[in-house]
Amino acid sequence: MPEHHTAPLLEVAGLHKHFPIRGGLLTRRTGAVRAVDGVDFSIEAGRSLGLVGESGCGKSTTGRLVARLLEPTGGAVRYRGEDIAHASRRELAPVRAEIQMIFQDPYSSLNPRQTVGTIVGAPLAIRRTGTASARRARVRELLATVGLNPEHYNRFPHEFSGGQRQRIGIARALALEPKLIVADEPVSALDVSIQAQIVNLLQQVQRDLGIAFLFIAHDLAIVRHFSHRVAVMYLGRIVELADRAELYGDPRHPYTKALLSAVPEPDLGTGDGEAQGRNRIRLSGDVPTPVDPPSGCRFRTRCPSAQAICGTTEPPLLPVPTATGQHLVACHFAEPLPAAA
Amino acid sequence: MTPPSVQSGPFLSVRDLQVRFATEDGVVRAVDGLSFDLRRGQTLGIVGESGSGKSVTSLAVLGMHDRSRTTVTGRVTFDGTELIDATEKQLQSLRGNRIAMIFQDPLTALSPYYTIGAQIAETYRRHTGASRSAARARAVDLLGRVGIAAPGRRADDYPHEFSGGMRQRAMIAMSLVCDPDLLIADEPTTALDVTVQAQILDLLGDLQREFDTAIILITHDLGVVANTAHEVLVMYAGRAVEHGATQQVLTRPRHPYTEGLLRSVPRLHSDVDEPLVPIPGSPPSLLAVPAGCPFHPRCAHRERVPGDDCVTRRPALAEVGHAAACHLPEEPREVLAQQHLQP
Ligand SMILES: Nc1ncnc2c1ncn2[C@@H]1O[C@H](COP(=O)(O)OP(=O)(O)OP(=O)(O)O)[C@@H](O)[C@H]1O
Ligand SMILES: Nc1ncnc2c1ncn2[C@@H]1O[C@H](COP(=O)(O)OP(=O)(O)OP(=O)(O)O)[C@@H](O)[C@H]1O
Ligand code: SF4
Ligand SMILES: [Mg+2]
Ligand SMILES: [Mg+2]
């Protein structure tokens, strides 16, 4: 296959993951949770794509599909140009070392019976990288990198706080110096100072080692800080994708606007226990389910700007004219209305 | 609507709480002399360093530590009942009923073997004796209120079929099922996007207004604290280092650690080319907490304190008003407030 050096490291096209639903008493298949339902994006080497969106919209599932911990029910996952969507365990082995995952749930992703040293060293041990004592030294170095003490080496996961466990997962993901890290809420369990430290660290390894990131997070300020481009997901689909400055400076999709309006900031609170009344756009209306998404635009049941066409026609993800031209939106009204005379 | 609450003594009072774990390497002093009060209808935000003892504190209030490996001393009084030496039976009748907990780890609270709906209904039945169908209806209602779509159908899902944020909301629903008088919420919204987060915080606010619930809200999200807590307690190395009214603490911090936290927060409008500003140095080992002020190895303001107090004397936290456990004299403290306000 001809190699373009501009070809993205990762390219996802028409990605689907439907989970079958068991039906009541009979275990017959009655439908499916359409967790990921037609997603396209790409990530270049050494760059980061932020992925944000409503809880349950399919972000973790997307991440797991990219890391091939799940097999898609449709679409392609091209890594270095090769479709790994249905690759076998053996075919995946070399790719596994290059794509690492930091898990959203630091509790269930760490084996409770292994010490921290064993957990972080596992990827090195499996590949027999260096001597045992070199590996131990490397693990200690990794622990220090993520701000843990060397004394933690022989402890078990239950002896750690939530944030400490998250850092164990980060150390493990960095062990093999991967090419792509799928980071699923990597810093949401951390206090803001350690969060800042880890974000700086991830940015540094990105620069030094050229690691690309799929960075899933709900903290929009962190995503803005970390990601070159940002995708916004809603109910299994991407509704907006743009360069960071575009997305935050000129959001076009009503869901993105609602998200940005709801970010709480520390110095804006009223301090009397009342939520800040700022211009938060409250989403009302029915929360749709991925089992049975609404017709037309999936956001229409809660969209403040929905019109008749939204119920009948699904808006495709299309470029909108902007300063940089790197802005895709799936909304019938993404372009500003011509100024009324 | 709300009955005028009689503002008598504190509803929850914690005095000189100490929690220690025996480990192979020595004794971990996870909580070391923590005191605070909480009245009905009020929210206390607890923020602080990862590993500073926030979750351990809440488990101690609920009497949930493994007593063979853990030493808990001090006093925790809930509505007149002493909790530290309460019997397991007493605690069990309070837990999940008058005192509810939203765990940081949803999988601690949810069993993988039962459906979400069955677990919530069971908690309700255990404490109220409601019928199966009433309990099921209650569970479905609450799942709807925490924003789970098609709650009647999703109630039959197992925890592994929920997303991270959905599991967290299922646990919130379970904690609210008996309209608790005291709710301890440990990072209740970490897995939630901001719109769902806002909805959950509104729901907790409604609960508080309706039942005069006292809430302890543990979070590292200072924006959430700013929006929901009446008072804030800042923890570092198992101790309270600052305590006061929310707005005071967040806009005029009096402790260098708090000031450092506020400076670490990325803002929606900050310069993305500038690296974030974490507090320098690393968190202390709880096996050997530094003498004097536990923050002194990382503190940028030590030189402003005359003598070697920072290294030798442990600064105390005054018990009233806006207080900081720090030896800094009044004047340089003003510098803190100004420093953090700089963009
Ligand atoms: N069972 C245990 N045995 C030994 N040490 C423990 C145990 N449980 C907790 N610790 C230690 O006690 C300290 C306080 O833990 P805790 O879970 O309260 O932290 P936290 O403030 O909730 O942090 P986070 O914000 O990361 O959740 C940590 O340093 C942790 O390593
Ligand atoms: N193994 C599974 N079986 C059935 N349904 C599943 C499974 N895993 C995920 N789902 C469903 O797929 C949808 C998307 O889940 P996913 O975990 O990808 O969401 P998410 O965007 O990561 O949400 P969050 O922000 O809450 O973590 C949800 O409705 C979830 O219940
Ligand atoms: S007591 Fe000293 S070392 Fe501690 S925070 Fe105050 S100035 Fe810094
Ligand atoms: Mg997720
Ligand atoms: Mg905790």
Side-chain angles (χ1 to χ4, degrees), chain A:
Chain A
M1 205 192 279
E3 275 252 336
H4 297 280
H5 46 249
T6 51
L9 180 70
L10 176 83
E11 197 176 6
V12 160
L15 193 64
H16 284 80
K17 180 69 188 179
H18 292 183
F19 294 103
I21 302 177
R22 304 164 320 280
L25 291 172
L26 309 168
T27 39
R28 240 185 356 184
R29 197 184 145 147
T30 57
V33 177
R34 302 155 75 119
V36 175
D37 206 18
V39 158
D40 306 80
F41 61 79
S42 61
I43 306 177
E44 262 121 65
R47 307 287 284 176
S48 50
L49 176 71
L51 186 58
V52 303
E54 187 153 66
S55 168
C57 71
K59 303 180 297 294
S60 296
T61 305
T62 302
R64 287 168 173 272
L65 291 168
V66 164
R68 269 311 317 276
L69 301 173
L70 282 177
E71 186 169 348
T73 46
V77 178
R78 281 188 282 273
Y79 179 71
R80 293 183 189 280
E82 197 150 329
D83 189 358
I84 57 167
H86 308 287
S88 67
R89 198 177 267 271
R90 200 140 58 86
E91 288 164 331
L92 279 176
V95 178
R96 288 241 186 274
E98 297 193 4
I99 306 181
Q100 289 289 315
M101 177 126 188
I102 299 171
F103 292 92
Q104 175 169 15
D105 187 343
Y107 303 89
S108 54
S109 63
L110 304 176
N111 184 337
R113 278 176 291 275
Q114 291 183 340
T115 65
V116 166
T118 310
I119 292 172
V120 175
L124 299 169
I126 291 169
R127 292 188 169 68
R128 302 182 203 287
T129 319
T131 64
S133 74
R135 287 201 293 267
R136 268 198 301 279
R138 171 80 179 129
V139 169
R140 284 180 204 281
E141 188 184 297
L142 285 163
L143 290 179
T145 310
V146 297
L148 292 171
N149 293 321
E151 78 194 31
H152 291 139
Y153 192 97
N154 287 316
R155 297 239 215 120
F156 292 90
H158 79 269
E159 297 174 58
F160 288 86
S161 77
Q164 290 166 335
R165 286 182 228 194
Q166 185 60 288
R167 283 178 273 161
I168 298 168
I170 294 174
R172 176 176 59 185
L174 293 176
L176 292 176
E177 304 194 349
K179 293 281 173 266
L180 172 67
I181 295 183
V182 176
D184 193 358
E185 301 281 5
V187 294
S188 61
L190 307 177
D191 71 70
V192 286
S193 169
I194 293 177
Q195 195 171 338
Q197 190 187 322
I198 297 286
V199 167
N200 289 347
L201 165 75
L202 294 180
Q203 270 178 330
Q204 190 195 329
V205 298
Q206 172 163 57
R207 270 193 309 270
D208 296 354
L209 308 173
I211 302 177
F213 279 85
L214 176 61
F215 190 87
I216 303 171
H218 64 83
D219 184 325
L220 294 163
I222 288 278
V223 169
R224 174 173 171 273
H225 202 90
F226 191 79
S227 315
H228 299 104
R229 290 188 307 144
V230 180
V232 182
M233 239 177 128
Y234 186 81
L235 208 64
R237 290 270 172 99
I238 289 177
V239 296
E240 184 157 7
L241 198 164
D243 286 345
R244 150 174 67 197
E246 276 283 331
L247 192 105
Y248 286 82
D250 184 16
R252 296 293 180 86
H253 197 282
Y255 176 63
T256 313
K257 290 180 190 171
L259 268 186
L260 287 171
S261 79
V263 178
E265 294 215 62
D267 20 29
L268 297 176
T270 53
D272 57 2
E274 290 298 315
Q276 61 205 24
R278 237 172 359 123
N279 309 321
R280 177 178 138 204
I281 304 170
R282 274 166 214 264
L283 293 177
S284 51
D286 286 343
V287 182
T289 114
V291 175
D292 184 16
S295 65
C297 174
R298 291 171 183 223
F299 186 54
R300 74 171 159 87
T301 57
R302 300 160 81 196
C303 181
S305 357
Q307 307 286 325
I309 184 181
C310 305
T312 55
T313 314
E314 172 147 29
L317 187 65
L318 290 177
V320 288
T322 62
T324 60
Q326 289 288 322
H327 199 145
L328 306 173
V329 189
C331 170
H332 292 298
F333 307 101
E335 286 178 41
L337 295 171

Side-chain angles (χ1 to χ4, degrees), chain A residues 20-22 33 53-57 59-60 104-105 107-108 147 149 151 154-156 158-159 161-165 167 185 187-197 199-200 203 218-222 224-225 244 248 255 258-260 262-276 280-283 287-292 302, chain B residues 23-25 28 48-51 69 104-105 107 147 149-150 153-154 156-158 161 163-167 169 187 189-199 202 209 220-224 226-230 246-247 250-251 257 261-262 264-279 281-287 298 340:
Chain A
I21 302 177
R22 304 164 320 280
V33 177
E54 187 153 66
S55 168
C57 71
K59 303 180 297 294
S60 296
Q104 175 169 15
D105 187 343
Y107 303 89
S108 54
N149 293 321
E151 78 194 31
N154 287 316
R155 297 239 215 120
F156 292 90
H158 79 269
E159 297 174 58
S161 77
Q164 290 166 335
R165 286 182 228 194
R167 283 178 273 161
E185 301 281 5
V187 294
S188 61
L190 307 177
D191 71 70
V192 286
S193 169
I194 293 177
Q195 195 171 338
Q197 190 187 322
V199 167
N200 289 347
Q203 270 178 330
H218 64 83
D219 184 325
L220 294 163
I222 288 278
R224 174 173 171 273
H225 202 90
R244 150 174 67 197
Y248 286 82
Y255 176 63
L259 268 186
L260 287 171
V263 178
E265 294 215 62
D267 20 29
L268 297 176
T270 53
D272 57 2
E274 290 298 315
Q276 61 205 24
R280 177 178 138 204
I281 304 170
R282 274 166 214 264
L283 293 177
V287 182
T289 114
V291 175
D292 184 16
R302 300 160 81 196
Chain B
T23 70
E24 260 180 43
D25 308 313
V28 170
E49 173 104 317
S50 168
R69 291 192 51 237
Q104 185 171 11
D105 165 18
L107 300 175
R153 171 190 288 195
R154 305 284 329 234
D156 296 329
D157 278 359
Y158 290 88
E161 294 171 300
S163 76
M166 289 163 67
R167 278 201 284 263
R169 285 181 280 158
E187 302 282 6
T189 60
T190 37
L192 304 179
D193 66 275
V194 287
T195 55
V196 173
Q197 168 173 284
Q199 187 188 343
D202 286 349
R209 273 184 293 280
H220 61 79
D221 188 327
L222 299 171
V224 167
N227 280 289
T228 51
H230 301 88
T246 303
Q247 206 174 15
L250 295 187
T251 57
Y257 174 67
L261 272 188
L262 283 160
S264 311
V265 181
R267 309 298 169 110
L268 262 189
H269 304 283
S270 56
D271 180 355
V272 287
D273 296 325
E274 288 296 313
L276 297 175
V277 195
I279 300 168
S282 51
S285 155
L286 296 179
L287 293 168
R298 306 171 71 186
H340 117 85

Side-chain angles (χ1 to χ4, degrees), chain B residues 248-259:
Chain B
Q248 293 273 314
V249 173
L250 295 187
T251 57
R252 307 194 69 76
R254 297 174 64 84
H255 194 284
Y257 174 67
T258 315
E259 181 243 347

Side-chain angles (χ1 to χ4, degrees), chain B residues 37-109:
Chain B
D37 287 337
L38 181 58
R39 282 181 292 138
R40 289 207 76 140
Q42 295 280 301
T43 300
L44 173 70
I46 301 187
V47 303
E49 173 104 317
S50 168
S52 63
K54 304 182 295 295
S55 300
V56 167
T57 298
S58 38
L59 294 181
V61 169
L62 285 161
M64 285 184 67
H65 286 293
D66 171 359
R67 294 191 190 193
S68 63
R69 291 192 51 237
T70 319
T71 319
V72 182
T73 61
R75 279 188 304 139
V76 176
T77 320
F78 167 73
D79 201 13
T81 308
E82 183 55 54
L83 296 185
I84 292 286
D85 42 38
T87 63
E88 187 55 29
K89 195 155 163 265
Q90 278 176 308
L91 289 169
Q92 263 173 13
S93 74
L94 287 173
R95 266 186 233 140
N97 188 19
R98 292 197 63 201
I99 307 182
M101 170 101 193
I102 300 173
F103 292 91
Q104 185 171 11
D105 165 18
L107 300 175
T108 311

Side-chain angles (χ1 to χ4, degrees), chain B residues 113-124:
Chain B
Y113 305 114
Y114 297 93
T115 64
I116 301 269
Q119 298 186 50
I120 300 175
E122 172 54 27
T123 306
Y124 190 58

